[in-house]
Amino acid sequence: LPINLVKQRIQELNEFGDFRLPFLGVEYQRRLVFYKNEGVVGAIVMNVVENSPAAKAGIVEGDVIVQFAGKDLEDESLLNLIQRAKIGEEVEVVIIRDGESQTIKVVIADRNEFN
């Protein structure tokens, strides 16, 4: 784990009494997909958790997430990018749906709210 992430989690533990985990609310599979005749690494959404940040933002099963908070999924996993986000932060998520790219804004939640 990167030391910055460990420090952030320890600060949250001291402040809130437990660990807070940033949560988007999607189950996905990382895959190479083709968009406009180019191969792009993306996260194919297999399931969206009910009432999750992803569901509230309009992300649906079958969408392909290709960018999270300005970072391409070719460079880093979606899980790592989500974990670096802050709870309550609004991030831009670029998806491919029906062959078209679109940007959706999502507010990251606390995973503990969805247990």
Side-chain angles (χ1 to χ4, degrees), residues 38-89:
E38 290 188 33
V40 177
V41 175
I44 300 172
V45 177
M46 308 303 287
N47 185 42
V48 179
V49 175
E50 188 176 327
N51 295 319
S52 68
K56 291 176 182 174
I59 295 174
V60 297
E61 187 177 313
D63 285 349
V64 180
I65 299 171
V66 294
Q67 195 176 79
F68 182 90
K71 305 271 189 198
D72 292 333
L73 270 67
E74 290 185 25
D75 302 327
E76 199 162 353
S77 75
L78 180 58
L79 177 63
N80 286 344
L81 294 171
I82 293 168
Q83 291 308 305
R84 282 209 309 261
K86 297 199 183 312
I87 294 166
E89 176 183 14

